[in-house]
Amino acid sequence: MSRSFKDIMDDARRLVPEVTADQVKDRLKGNGHDVVLVDVREKEEYREGHLPGALSLPRGFLEMRVEEAVPNRDAEVIAYCASGTRSLIAGKILKDMGYRNVVSMLGGFSAWKGAGNEWVQDRQFTPAQLQRYSRHFLLPEVGEAGQARLLDAKVLLIGAGGLGSPTAYYLAAAGVGTIGIVDDDVVDRSNLQRQILHTEERVGMPKVESARLTLEALNPDVKVIGYRERVSSENIMRLIKDYDIVVDGCDNFPTRYLVNDACVFAGKPNVHGSIFQFEGQATVFYPGRGPCYRCLFPEPPPPGAAPSCAEAGVLGVLPGLVGCVQAVETIKLILDKGTPLIGRLLHFDTLSMEVKQLRLRRDADCPVCGDRPTVTELIDYEEFCGLRGGHAEEAPAASA
Ligand SMILES: [Zn+2]
């Protein structure tokens, strides 16, 4: 037996209560219970304006996406569309799927707007951006709101070397809007085995300039700010001040302690990575939420005990692996999604291809982030690491 559109609508009306815009307003005000606003219009319509906090679940994707977006089938779901027709049909589908508490807004978005209620418009993406980030838009965890966060984010990379290269590359590809890079070095041919931001023809060029050329060619949305200087106790607070997240890709202990202490003092998350020959590790130091580098390593190793890549060698692809973990963690922090690597350290051994996860705890006696810190301002890190004084130790390079 065939059914007319009218039959379908009558069915839906029997199952799905309709509420007016005023009633929706009251329900949204009543706190203490779980109200989910579901906008079932097409993406283009949502983009033009929607109710504050509404989830965008276009009618065509509703069945596919709703379970992930609204796991609680007892939640109070208010569906709306442009005029109240599509949301009624959507409401019936939700009822069929086991959502017990579904209503549809009479008159839809036009009634809501017409009554002078508050509505919002998300960031307007250009047609090129809609194409570029289309795979992000498909992920509910990113979506247009997440992409807007990425575009607004500011990330500072310490070093444009082995770790900084893949991190910067993927952050730029993801559309992280502002990427600062601190590195005082120039491109050397021996870098090219792993520092994939740079090219043969840029040997001799400042790394920050080479990085800018590569990243802006990949994604014109990204603003790359190069700081051709060596991070030090004198400049680091100024350098990190305007950034949300710091990514440490340095290859030496004085800089690592310096970046750690500065991030603790400034309260900035520090996405840490380090590499040695075939082994690498990554973690996130987040002041107030987990340990810092000094909780793990209160004392630096004796000078010469932990040689750098320049002395000990490194497998070229290793920083790619670790730097990509740093990029993932940075993006998760920006989106505020998933479980960050706070209090956990990933250790990679590429020869055996074993990955270990170590649990880390904040040390209440830590000299910088402990309960009674003894180090409350930046110190001389070369001296702390025993690199100043009698023996003529070569100044360490800026980046891994
Ligand atoms: Zn600490």
Side-chain angles (χ1 to χ4, degrees):
M1 191 189 83
S2 63
R3 300 170 72 232
S4 68
F5 177 62
K6 187 180 169 298
D7 296 336
I8 294 173
M9 289 306 288
D10 285 346
D11 250 15
R13 272 198 192 92
R14 261 194 304 277
L15 272 164
V16 183
E18 290 177 290
V19 292
T20 64
D22 275 350
Q23 287 170 316
V24 170
K25 215 169 132 186
D26 288 343
R27 287 181 187 218
L28 291 174
K29 259 189 257 157
N31 43 18
H33 65 300
D34 199 4
V35 183
V36 187
L37 267 175
V38 174
D39 186 320
V40 301
R41 297 173 303 159
E42 298 305 311
K43 276 280 173 206
E44 295 69 36
E45 300 175 87
Y46 182 88
R47 217 170 269 137
E48 298 285 307
H50 56 84
L51 268 67
L55 285 176
S56 170
L57 287 174
R59 174 62 196 87
F61 296 93
L62 186 65
E63 295 93 319
M64 220 157 69
R65 303 242 179 92
V66 69
E67 290 176 293
E68 204 182 327
V70 189
N72 177 12
R73 280 175 158 74
D74 289 318
E76 181 175 350
V77 177
I78 302 173
Y80 74 88
C81 59
S83 63
T85 306
R86 281 175 286 173
S87 60
L88 205 53
I89 298 171
K92 177 167 183 320
I93 293 168
L94 292 173
K95 282 267 178 171
D96 289 344
M97 289 181 76
Y99 288 89
R100 282 171 274 275
N101 201 355
V102 184
V103 299
S104 167
M105 182 163 75
L106 264 170
F109 185 59
S110 40
W112 176 268
K113 213 169 137 180
N117 291 312
E118 189 195 355
W119 57 281
V120 290
Q121 195 175 33
D122 292 346
R123 175 194 283 259
Q124 301 296 293
F125 293 97
T126 64
Q129 288 176 322
L130 291 173
Q131 277 188 307
R132 179 179 287 273
Y133 307 117
S134 61
R135 301 306 187 270
H136 270 169
F137 295 146
L138 293 171
L139 300 170
E141 292 80 359
V142 187
E144 296 190 12
Q147 191 61 54
R149 287 177 86 133
L150 290 170
L151 286 163
D152 290 337
K154 296 178 172 183
V155 177
L156 182 71
L157 305 182
I158 308 295
L163 292 168
S165 284
T167 312
Y169 236 128
Y170 273 108
L171 293 182
V176 169
T178 305
I179 299 178
I181 304 178
V182 195
D183 201 310
D184 70 337
D185 219 351
V186 295
V187 178
D188 183 87
R189 192 167 284 113
S190 69
N191 300 149
L192 303 178
Q193 165 251 23
R194 64 199 177 285
Q195 302 185 12
I196 56 170
L197 282 176
H198 314 301
T199 62
E200 171 73 23
E201 64 177 9
R202 299 194 204 138
V203 168
M205 182 187 282
K207 284 187 180 177
V208 290
E209 177 60 10
S210 168
R212 191 183 61 77
L213 291 171
T214 301
L215 300 172
E216 290 184 351
L218 173 64
N219 187 350
D221 286 344
V222 178
K223 185 172 155 203
V224 178
I225 305 174
Y227 303 92
R228 201 184 163 193
E229 43 194 303
R230 205 184 151 70
V231 274
S232 68
S233 300
E234 282 67 50
N235 63 13
I236 192 160
M237 297 315 279
R238 162 176 62 81
L239 289 168
I240 67 177
K241 178 169 59 79
D242 295 329
Y243 291 88
D244 311 313
I245 298 171
V246 177
V247 179
D248 184 5
C250 79
D251 78 338
N252 65 84
F253 289 96
T255 307
R256 203 165 288 155
Y257 281 99
L258 167 68
V259 172
N260 178 73
D261 293 1
C263 286
V264 171
F265 298 149
K268 309 250 176 186
N270 170 9
V271 182
H272 169 89
S274 68
I275 49 172
F276 181 74
Q277 295 189 330
F278 295 95
E279 291 171 61
Q281 56 190 36
T283 185
V284 173
F285 300 120
Y286 205 123
R289 291 175 60 183
C292 78
Y293 185 73
R294 291 224 204 199
C295 294
L296 276 55
F297 305 105
E299 297 291 329
S308 69
C309 293
E311 296 154 339
V314 63
L315 185 70
V317 65
L318 172 68
L321 197 63
V322 175
C324 284
V325 173
Q326 290 177 283
V328 172
E329 290 305 307
T330 302
I331 287 170
K332 279 162 59 188
L333 289 176
I334 295 168
L335 296 175
D336 195 17
K337 293 290 174 195
T339 310
L341 264 183
I342 298 169
R344 293 183 292 148
L345 181 139
L346 277 192
H347 178 271
F348 300 89
D349 180 342
T350 55
L351 281 182
S352 61
M353 205 38 108
E354 284 195 86
V355 183
K356 273 186 247 157
Q357 180 177 276
L358 300 152
R359 292 269 161 191
L360 313 173
R361 235 172 300 158
R362 188 181 77 97
D363 179 1
D365 296 323
C366 172
V368 285
C369 82
D371 297 339
R372 280 169 301 277
T374 52
V375 177
T376 53
E377 55 185 34
L378 299 173
I379 57 169
D380 183 332
Y381 292 86
E382 299 276 329
E383 191 183 301
F384 176 62
C385 293
L387 296 180
R388 212 189 299 291
H391 52 99
E393 186 94 24
E394 179 77 14
S399 54

